[in-house]
Amino acid sequence: MNALSDLLCAELDDAITRAGGDREVRVLVLTGTGKAFCAGADLKGVFEGGAVPAGEEDPLNAFLDKVAGVIDRLRNLPKPTIAALNGLTMAGGLELAMACDLIVAAQSARIGDAHANFGVFPGAGGAAVLPRRIGPTAAKYLLFTGDTLPASELVPLGLVNRVVPDASLDAEVDQLASRIASKSPLVLRRMKQAVDDGLAQSQSTALRLERLVLDAHRHSRDIREGLAAFVEKRKPEFKGY
């Protein structure tokens, strides 16, 4: 079920690092195989019940910190990211998906928080990010009930961008990623940063920050290339600077 284990967290962290440092990688797509995108954190290997001896680190806390750290790394990656939900997406899996910029889901995918089902408090965005994505009332419903909903029900709430037939998921996401990858990497990085930073500011402050970014961006090679391509009626060749 692609649960977030120590090994999977390490592999995800490595993939995010490599994608972030590779100029040829312009869009990162995260998906799963089998029946689930990600069923959440794999707590079986770290939770054995019983008290932790005084002075010793709680392995459960250490593991949850590791999961949250990887999800934060994904959220802060300065490149567009797409979560392609091939199936069940729960708890840490939902937090992982929400760390991506866009979410495309297969028609059969079901999505929920599910932490409450096991008496676990979310630690990577379930309580902090989900209300910002779908509003507090809908977020509380998912948090309090632990229910999973069809992906199609979360499109109107703004959590999922598109729902596509299961057999078409890979092709649809690949087409979307290719369209985004054809844009200027520099302008995409700056757009992502402006949107994410602006959400924490008043509209007037966000507008000032937007203008400051524009003042810097107008000196870039990519904006000159884009405008030249428009005038010359050709496809631009963006370099990312």
Side-chain angles (χ1 to χ4, degrees):
M1 302 290 278
N2 301 314
L4 292 166
S5 62
D6 271 317
L7 177 60
L8 183 53
C9 283
E11 292 175 340
L12 273 174
D13 191 63
D14 179 64
I16 293 166
T17 299
R18 287 187 288 111
D22 189 342
R23 292 179 62 88
E24 297 299 313
V25 176
R26 297 194 175 187
V27 180
L28 179 66
V29 175
L30 189 65
T31 193
T33 57
K35 297 180 180 180
F37 169 75
C38 176
D42 181 7
L43 302 179
K44 293 180 181 178
V46 294
F47 181 69
E48 300 175 353
V52 177
E56 292 188 15
E57 183 179 22
D58 187 339
L60 178 61
N61 285 344
F63 173 69
L64 293 176
D65 285 345
K66 180 182 295 186
V67 171
V70 172
I71 291 175
D72 282 341
R73 289 282 305 279
L74 178 63
R75 182 180 294 112
N76 295 323
L77 185 72
K79 297 183 179 185
T81 54
I82 303 172
L85 308 187
N86 57 293
L88 187 65
T89 303
M90 295 170 51
L94 174 58
E95 292 171 324
L96 188 66
M98 290 193 299
C100 294
D101 301 305
L102 305 176
I103 298 177
V104 179
Q107 199 159 18
S108 65
R110 295 187 65 88
I111 302 170
D113 179 75
H115 282 100
N117 294 343
F118 308 101
V120 178
F121 187 82
V129 177
L130 187 60
R132 288 171 165 80
R133 296 289 288 267
I134 65 175
T137 303
K140 287 175 184 175
Y141 177 85
L142 286 178
L143 289 166
F144 294 172
T145 65
D147 289 351
T148 59
L149 301 178
S152 58
E153 291 189 18
L154 294 168
V155 173
L157 296 177
L159 180 68
V160 176
N161 295 96
R162 293 171 57 195
V163 174
V164 301
D166 288 25
S168 304
L169 179 65
D170 290 346
E172 293 278 358
V173 171
D174 185 64
Q175 184 181 53
L176 176 60
S178 296
R179 287 176 57 203
I180 295 172
S182 70
K183 316 302 184 196
S184 161
L186 178 63
V187 81
L188 292 175
R189 181 171 72 248
R190 286 174 165 168
M191 284 177 171
K192 178 172 179 172
Q193 182 178 17
V195 170
D196 290 346
D197 291 350
L199 287 172
Q201 310 292 335
S202 67
Q203 180 172 290
S204 59
T205 300
L207 285 167
R208 286 195 295 272
L209 291 173
E210 183 181 65
R211 185 53 191 263
L212 288 172
V213 175
L214 174 59
D215 286 345
H217 187 73
R218 65 187 176 88
H219 299 292
S220 68
R221 183 257 180 207
D222 275 5
I223 194 171
R224 294 194 299 273
E225 167 62 13
L227 293 175
F230 174 77
V231 172
E232 298 165 10
K233 298 181 179 180
R234 60 174 174 82
K235 185 178 179 180
E237 296 182 9
F238 296 119
K239 301 296 184 181
Y241 56 86

